[in-house]
Amino acid sequence: MAMILLGIDTGGTFTDFIYRDQSAWKVYKTLSTPQAPAQAVLKGIRHIAGTGAVQVVHGSTVATNALLERKGAPTALITNSGFEDVLEIGRQNREELYRFVNQKPRPLVPRNMRFGIPCRVDARGAVSRNLSRSDLENIAQVMAQSGAQSIAVCFLYSFLNPRHETLVKKALTDLSLPVSLSHDILPEFREFERTVATVCNAYVLPKMKSYLDELSGDENIQALRIMQSNGGSISARTAGQEPVRTILSGPAGGVVGAFELGKQAGFEKLITFDMGGTSTDVALVDGKLPLTTEALIAGLPLNVSTIHIHTVGAGGGSIAELDSGGSLKVGPESAGADPGPICYGKGEKITVTDANLLLGRLLPDHFLGGDIRLDRQQVLTAFQTLSKRLGIPELELAEGVLAVANAGMERAVRVISVERGFDPGEFTLFSFGGAGGMHAADLARLLGIPRVLVPKHPGILSAMGMLLSDIIKDFSLTIMSREKTTPRHIRSLFRQLERQGRASISREGVRPEDIILEHYLDMRYQGQSFELMVPFDDKYQTRFHDLHEKTYGFADRNRAVEIVNIRLRARGRTEAPNFEALPPGGATPPEAAIIDRRPVCFEGKWRPSLVLDREKLMAGNSFQGPAVLIEYSSTLVVPPFAKGRVDSLGNVILDILKKENHNPQISRINAD
């Protein structure tokens, strides 16, 4: 039996699988097991492959959850004497300017686990105070007695001269503890951000390594790659050493999948909308993957390379309840996989999924191919109880829940588009995730987006993106070049990173002819505190001025510019899976695709609606809303103001009629 290639994405509610069985792509979903995430992964592999061999590309939430829940390993930090509190002092930025009592996130390493050594490298990389043998022996003894299960080492200017960090790691060898060095994790200036990244890596490393060892030890899994936050995958061995690069691996897989499938469909300007059970992730793709080095996770700056994704606590499992003022709020608390929404049979709190079910937009007998039967009567009882408190009908309350959830997601899209100088009307909304299809058309109308693209198997797209991803590693170096320089000089500076990148990608098993090197510069005007990342070519100066004007609304083309960091993105091309075109059909859906005609509630009225089996639609089919399209991994709601069509790749494209941006349900429910 041939080895099966599997893409796996672990979410807060479901764990998703996509794989090729003989000539067809197939999908599978199972409830996640948050307390032991490997159980759901291995259960799915057994269901798909039995005792056969599999090759896996996997997006994991293990490192993410360890950070968010503060459940990482007891970690020690070794740094320069006098700099033990950099981690706690941080920056003076205040996210909430008008909050009287500003509470910073609690440091991952407490004060009694932060240790200083009297050594120093200066700003030119020269050693001004060396490490003595007694210093090294003493710190090894202290670490042995500290109770630490992981160690982070971060010295000033180690990105210029890493000798002291290397000596400390060697001195700790006999302790058999994982040691994270800052010059390996983030060889850049700004000691606070470098310390945070190194500490985060050390904090989640034991948990991530244990998880990966459990998967790698399974007899079915013959090869295992892990998705990174930067949109590329790496070997499980590398991910076990640098887990900080996997913090946003699941959402990154979704953006990669949307980018690749969008290009095939002829759309390169996308706003990706990934609504799952716990949260919603949005990103703006303007012809290329959006990269950033300024991610913020659990209140901590994570300056490793990531796809620029904005997340809000709104998903199918988001709980709807009244706040202290009596107004309806939705999320960020989620019912998760256990107990889940009320309709799953164990939950007791109303969720977004329950509201969709009550309105007829989610069909009780067609959820996950009928594997889970949804309980509408139990949902109705819960809505009746809450609607009596509010004094409004159950259906109006259900539409209000959706309106509040949609408003939160609308704000998220505006953050990554309007607030960055982009007009949403110039983009296509690429909707995926298990719950995305039920909200995409409404969201597009609120934002003035003219069309929505929903791929095949939208609930599994993040897993699909992992199969489409290349092997990618990012390298950076602070050079702080203030003098006027030339493209030729900059290319000479990249040579060290190029050698490092080629060697590292080769160790991942990539042939030399499949390695691609991409060059970027972090640039700013002299006197500025933050940089913009610009692709490097002979016109890098012009590119910087143009990007600065687009981002901030102005550019001073006569002002001196400095290059702060150089960045290399080393890409190892992998063999992408093939997708077959759909057979052509007529303008109307075939009779076999029409499952039913039933009432669905839109804007307070029950409207007769088509129920279509998406798997039986053919290229060229079109249909007018209202309609509901069902498939195994997701449900697509087509309101009366949308018209759908199927393209040659099986994508459903919804054309949206414009409407005034107003949510009457929010106004009514939250009125005094």
Side-chain angles (χ1 to χ4, degrees):
M1 182 177 178
M3 185 181 298
I4 297 175
L5 177 61
L6 264 173
I8 306 176
D9 176 40
T10 299
T13 305
F14 287 100
T15 296
D16 304 332
F17 302 78
I18 187 163
Y19 61 101
R20 191 173 182 85
D21 186 0
Q22 297 176 348
S23 61
W25 285 96
K26 295 187 178 180
V27 298
Y28 177 67
K29 291 174 80 79
T30 187
L31 287 172
S32 296
T33 49
Q35 301 307 315
Q39 289 182 9
V41 173
L42 296 176
K43 175 187 174 183
I45 291 174
R46 301 281 186 274
H47 173 86
I48 293 166
T51 58
V54 297
Q55 180 180 346
V56 173
V57 186
H58 178 30
S60 168
T61 57
V62 170
T64 316
N65 292 339
L67 266 186
L68 294 177
E69 299 170 7
R70 298 300 179 101
K71 292 182 178 178
T75 301
L77 170 64
I78 300 173
T79 186
N80 302 93
S81 294
F83 287 81
E84 297 89 346
D85 295 326
V86 163
L87 192 65
E88 192 158 359
I89 294 170
R91 298 290 178 194
Q92 295 185 25
N93 305 33
R94 292 183 62 178
E95 296 295 324
E96 300 174 84
L97 288 176
Y98 301 104
R99 187 167 184 166
F100 294 137
V101 180
N102 186 39
Q103 189 70 38
K104 287 186 177 182
R106 178 169 47 88
L108 296 177
V109 180
R111 183 63 183 83
N112 67 319
M113 294 289 280
R114 305 197 292 260
F115 306 94
I117 299 180
C119 63
R120 181 64 64 89
V121 170
D122 66 23
R124 297 182 301 276
V127 175
S128 59
R129 183 168 182 177
N130 220 331
L131 269 171
S132 66
R133 182 185 297 273
S134 61
D135 291 331
L136 294 171
E137 292 173 349
N138 181 59
I139 198 63
Q141 185 177 1
V142 170
M143 288 297 102
Q145 299 171 356
S146 67
Q149 296 177 13
S150 187
I151 301 170
V153 183
C154 184
F155 291 136
L156 291 176
Y157 300 107
S158 60
F159 56 89
L160 295 176
N161 185 345
R163 175 172 169 75
H164 287 167
E165 290 189 354
T166 304
L167 288 173
V168 168
K169 182 175 183 177
K170 185 176 180 181
L172 302 176
T173 302
D174 292 343
L175 300 182
S176 299
L177 292 175
V179 179
S180 300
L181 305 182
S182 75
H183 76 270
D184 289 333
I185 304 301
L186 191 67
E188 300 175 16
F189 87 126
R190 293 195 176 106
E191 67 275 8
F192 170 61
E193 286 78 7
R194 186 156 45 88
T195 303
V196 169
T198 310
V199 165
C200 285
N201 193 79
Y203 186 73
V204 302
L205 193 154
K207 202 164 191 174
M208 185 68 167
K209 188 174 186 305
S210 175
Y211 173 73
L212 294 178
D213 286 347
E214 183 177 358
L215 293 183
S216 300
D218 185 80
E219 58 186 14
N220 288 75
I221 300 176
Q222 299 300 307
L224 176 62
R225 295 204 331 257
I226 304 300
M227 192 70 183
Q228 300 177 94
S229 308
N230 66 3
S233 60
I234 48 176
S235 67
R237 175 184 56 80
T238 303
Q241 295 168 348
E242 301 180 7
V244 71
R245 306 191 190 282
T246 70
I247 299 294
L248 292 175
S249 64
V255 178
V256 171
F259 175 58
E260 296 295 338
L261 296 182
K263 282 194 299 185
Q264 293 180 26
F267 301 100
E268 294 197 4
K269 292 172 74 74
L270 304 171
I271 292 176
T272 67
F273 169 56
D274 177 9
M275 184 178 180
T278 305
S279 61
T280 292
D281 302 307
V282 295
L284 186 141
V285 178
D286 189 11
K288 61 181 184 299
L289 290 175
L291 297 177
T292 182
T293 56
E294 297 178 0
L296 195 68
I297 309 295
L300 300 171
L302 207 60
N303 285 26
V304 296
S305 181
T306 64
I307 290 181
H308 193 172
I309 298 170
H310 184 63
T311 303
V312 291
S318 293
I319 293 171
E321 56 191 349
L322 301 184
D323 64 16
S324 57
S327 294
L328 181 68
K329 71 170 186 175
V330 180
E333 184 183 357
S334 173
D338 187 12
I342 294 172
C343 59
Y344 286 11
K346 294 194 296 182
E348 297 179 352
K349 296 182 178 181
I350 291 172
T351 68
V352 172
T353 296
D354 297 317
N356 276 306
L357 178 65
L358 191 68
L359 295 168
R361 303 180 185 190
L362 195 58
L363 309 184
D365 45 349
H366 291 284
F367 190 72
L368 281 185
D371 290 349
I372 297 179
R373 174 79 184 183
L374 303 181
D375 189 339
R376 189 178 188 278
Q377 183 56 49
Q378 200 169 343
V379 171
L380 178 59
T381 301
F383 270 91
Q384 286 172 338
T385 300
L386 185 56
S387 64
K388 286 179 182 178
R389 292 178 58 188
L390 285 167
I392 61 173
E394 294 90 359
L395 293 181
E396 188 172 343
L397 172 59
E399 289 199 304
V401 169
L402 300 189
V404 173
N406 289 342
M409 294 183 287
E410 178 192 1
R411 287 193 297 272
V413 173
R414 291 188 183 279
V415 167
I416 55 105
S417 59
V418 177
E419 293 185 12
R420 293 170 51 206
F422 294 95
D423 177 6
E426 298 177 359
F427 290 77
T428 296
L429 187 68
F430 193 111
S431 172
F432 59 102
M438 290 184 285
H439 297 258
D442 286 322
L443 185 60
R445 201 179 197 197
L446 287 170
L447 290 157
I449 297 175
R451 76 190 64 82
V452 176
L453 190 155
V454 186
K456 292 180 70 174
H457 311 306
I460 313 288
L461 187 80
S462 290
M464 173 62 78
M466 291 162 197
L467 295 184
L468 293 169
S469 66
D470 290 330
I471 295 172
I472 296 177
K473 290 193 174 185
D474 289 297
F475 303 87
S476 61
L477 183 66
T478 294
I479 62 170
M480 206 63 75
S481 177
R482 292 187 173 90
E483 70 277 2
K484 193 171 182 64
T485 187
T486 64
R488 181 178 180 181
H489 174 63
I490 295 172
R491 288 190 181 93
S492 70
L493 297 175
F494 269 110
R495 286 175 191 147
Q496 175 188 342
L497 294 187
E498 289 172 348
R499 288 192 294 269
Q500 190 178 352
R502 289 186 185 280
S504 184
I505 292 292
S506 296
R507 287 195 293 269
E508 299 283 335
V510 179
R511 298 177 304 177
E513 60 268 28
D514 289 329
I515 298 176
I516 300 171
L517 302 180
E518 301 172 4
H519 304 77
Y520 298 89
L521 306 175
D522 287 351
M523 301 177 66
R524 66 187 183 188
Y525 291 121
Q526 285 190 18
Q528 287 184 317
S529 298
F530 295 96
E531 304 80 46
L532 292 173
M533 186 161 60
V534 179
F536 170 62
D537 58 21
D538 288 351
K539 298 181 179 180
Y540 70 93
Q541 295 269 8
T542 301
R543 284 180 177 273
F544 168 72
H545 293 302
D546 292 344
L547 181 59
H548 197 282
E549 186 168 17
K550 183 177 183 62
T551 305
Y552 299 115
F554 79 97
D556 186 349
R557 298 177 188 272
N558 296 316
R559 186 172 173 181
V561 174
E562 62 183 356
I563 300 169
V564 177
N565 302 308
I566 59 174
R567 298 188 181 279
L568 181 80
R569 189 171 175 84
R571 180 191 301 272
R573 289 179 297 193
T574 58
E575 186 176 351
N578 296 317
F579 302 98
E580 297 80 12
L582 280 187
T588 58
E591 195 64 31
I594 302 174
I595 296 176
D596 197 359
R597 290 177 173 84
R598 64 173 68 183
V600 179
C601 187
F602 294 99
E603 297 182 346
K605 296 179 181 179
W606 290 99
R607 300 173 184 266
S609 306
L610 273 178
V611 178
L612 299 171
D613 182 351
R614 183 171 177 179
E615 292 293 328
K616 296 179 180 177
L617 292 176
M618 297 166 38
N621 290 167
S622 63
F623 45 88
Q624 175 66 51
V628 176
L629 276 65
I630 61 168
E631 58 181 304
Y632 176 77
S633 69
S634 184
T635 297
L636 173 59
V637 174
V638 185
F641 56 78
K643 183 177 181 179
R645 50 192 168 92
V646 183
D647 72 6
S648 61
L649 295 174
N651 301 305
V652 172
I653 299 171
L654 302 183
D655 295 309
I656 308 296
L657 298 179
K658 293 182 179 180
K659 179 188 176 183
E660 182 183 354
N661 189 357
H662 177 57
N663 279 324
Q665 290 86 358
I666 296 180
S667 303
R668 169 82 186 273
I669 291 172
N670 288 346
D672 190 6

